[in-house]
Amino acid sequence: MRLKAVYQGRMSIVMRLLPAVLLSAGAASAVPPPSVSVAGATAAPAAVPADAPPKAFFEALRAADLRLATIGYRLTSANAALCDRLQPQIGMPIHALNQYSAEARPNAIGVFGFETRLGVEAVVADGPAARAGVRSGDSIQLLAGKRQPGIGAADAAETPADRDAAEALIAAQPPGAPIAMTVLRDGRAATVSIPAVAGCRSRFEILLGSGLDASADGAVVQIGEKYFEGYSDAEIAVIVAHELAHNILRHRDRLDAAKISRGLMAELGRNGRLIRQTEDEADRLSVYLLANAGYDPRSAPQFWREKGGTIDGGLFRSRTHASSKARATALDAVVQDIARRPERPILPADVLALRTQPLR
């Protein structure tokens, strides 16, 4: 768990998500400037800057975000019984137009719609939002009784503030209560009631420009964009489950309470020992999370044996993490415990009890 500030935008290192061949193909295609609907009127088509990311970028971003959202929904909803902090999980990644840079917004509107500033980027198949009739590309006008902002100025500053506020509003609702939402779809309003599912309190983001990094800060799980270029969903789920385990076990709060230094001091003495302890705890819990969500628990030790050297740096790994071989061996023991326990969800009481214990 590398604790870092939440990434503040989506476009600053935008081109690293797509392979060069896809970017070239997208850039070569003609991109007609979209019209922008504001307050019932259609504005003049917005000019697309020559250096704007192609529409293919946004399509690839939506596909990757949907993969992550599907994995996150599956893990959080299946493991609600293991979590003492819950929120509604609705299976609907949302985003805001002003998360994208000004030069990217015309093509973002062309792909995602954005009749208001806040939109439904994608919808998890068979999730609560999908069952309520929400569609990818819907624009959000009202959310849980609160009106969402209009498009705003075309050159407004890039910020995730509106998206974060909407996510916080969802998280603040009673975990199992339906969430009312009014969407705009081709200029027509529709009100839906999303039958939320109670799930572990966490949301999930792709961290652009971070390669194969992953982090958790207690509320958000961030996964580097490189995972979505060459890894299967089952492999990504191993990483997501590990980071979600950090949030469930309150590792950030416990490390802060123990006054543990990160950064240059992270590997030294007590700092390194306690950070390593949280990593080992998260590894153990992650396998139970995978099994409860219907993933093959054997995928965790298999991942660390086959891909671990690429992820942890091999000989140059941080000593706050066990070696890939040691992780795989430790997780084999957890897999054996799961094989002896047919119940689902499995509640590993010994691991879950750790979240209230100070780190020493």
Side-chain angles (χ1 to χ4, degrees):
M1 176 178 61
R2 296 185 178 95
L3 296 172
K4 60 182 73 175
V6 173
Y7 185 65
Q8 290 301 299
R10 305 214 74 176
M11 301 305 300
S12 299
I13 319 175
V14 74
M15 295 303 182
R16 289 191 55 184
L17 180 64
L18 290 180
V21 63
L22 181 54
L23 285 174
S24 299
S29 62
V31 182
S35 297
V36 182
S37 177
V38 181
T42 301
V48 180
D51 60 348
K55 286 188 175 182
F57 165 78
F58 298 100
E59 295 289 4
L61 182 61
R62 174 159 55 192
D65 279 334
L66 179 57
R67 290 177 68 189
L68 178 57
T70 301
I71 293 166
Y73 174 75
R74 185 170 167 180
L75 287 167
T76 53
S77 59
N79 286 288
L82 282 67
C83 298
D84 60 352
R85 294 185 292 190
L86 299 173
Q87 72 168 75
Q89 292 290 351
I90 59 178
M92 186 187 79
I94 60 179
H95 59 167
L97 180 60
N98 55 352
Q99 283 181 261
Y100 303 95
S101 62
E103 64 270 16
R105 289 170 193 166
N107 277 351
I109 291 172
V111 172
F112 298 127
F114 281 122
E115 297 179 69
T116 64
R117 198 179 305 171
L118 198 70
V120 178
E121 184 184 10
V123 178
V124 173
D126 299 322
R131 293 195 296 271
V134 179
R135 299 180 191 173
S136 173
D138 283 350
S139 295
I140 302 174
Q141 191 176 56
L142 286 167
L143 179 62
K146 184 172 182 179
R147 182 166 293 276
Q148 298 303 304
I151 289 288
D155 60 350
E158 182 182 348
T159 173
D162 292 305
R163 188 281 312 271
D164 290 349
E167 293 278 11
L169 181 61
I170 293 171
Q173 303 308 304
I179 295 177
M181 186 170 74
T182 299
V183 301
L184 287 177
R185 188 180 298 159
D186 297 325
R188 305 179 74 173
T191 298
V192 298
S193 179
I194 302 175
V197 170
C200 303
R201 178 166 291 189
S202 278
R203 60 185 178 87
F204 303 87
E205 295 180 345
I206 295 175
L207 189 63
L208 299 181
S210 67
L212 291 172
D213 281 352
S215 65
D217 69 356
V220 182
V221 168
Q222 294 180 322
I223 304 297
E225 87 280 357
K226 284 290 184 181
Y227 286 105
F228 299 89
E229 293 179 10
Y231 291 78
S232 69
D233 286 358
E235 290 171 331
I236 296 171
V238 172
I239 300 298
V240 175
H242 175 90
E243 298 302 333
L244 177 60
H246 279 305
N247 285 350
I248 293 172
L249 294 174
R250 303 195 180 196
H251 280 154
R252 182 165 193 171
D253 291 344
R254 291 165 64 203
L255 287 167
D256 287 345
K259 302 188 185 316
I260 295 304
S261 297
R262 280 74 148 190
L264 294 176
M265 303 293 290
E267 299 193 31
L268 301 180
R270 179 173 177 269
N271 293 329
R273 177 174 61 81
L274 292 185
I275 293 174
R276 169 72 174 270
Q277 180 179 326
T278 65
E279 295 298 334
D280 293 344
E281 290 177 5
D283 270 352
R284 289 176 61 199
L285 182 58
S286 71
V287 189
Y288 293 103
L289 300 181
L290 290 167
N292 289 340
Y295 293 101
D296 185 344
R298 296 172 296 180
S299 63
Q302 179 181 348
F303 176 87
W304 289 111
R305 286 193 173 95
E306 296 179 356
K307 303 291 179 67
T310 303
I311 305 300
D312 68 14
L315 291 175
F316 302 101
R317 67 180 172 83
S318 167
R319 272 21 187 198
T320 58
H321 295 65
S323 69
S324 297
K325 181 178 179 180
R327 294 177 88 162
T329 299
L331 296 183
D332 283 336
V334 182
V335 170
Q336 292 172 10
D337 179 59
I338 290 170
R340 294 189 291 266
R341 302 174 67 170
E343 76 274 13
R344 296 292 185 274
I346 301 173
L347 277 68
D350 57 333
V351 185
L352 294 174
L354 297 172
R355 66 183 159 211
T356 60
Q357 297 178 11
L359 291 166
R360 292 190 175 88

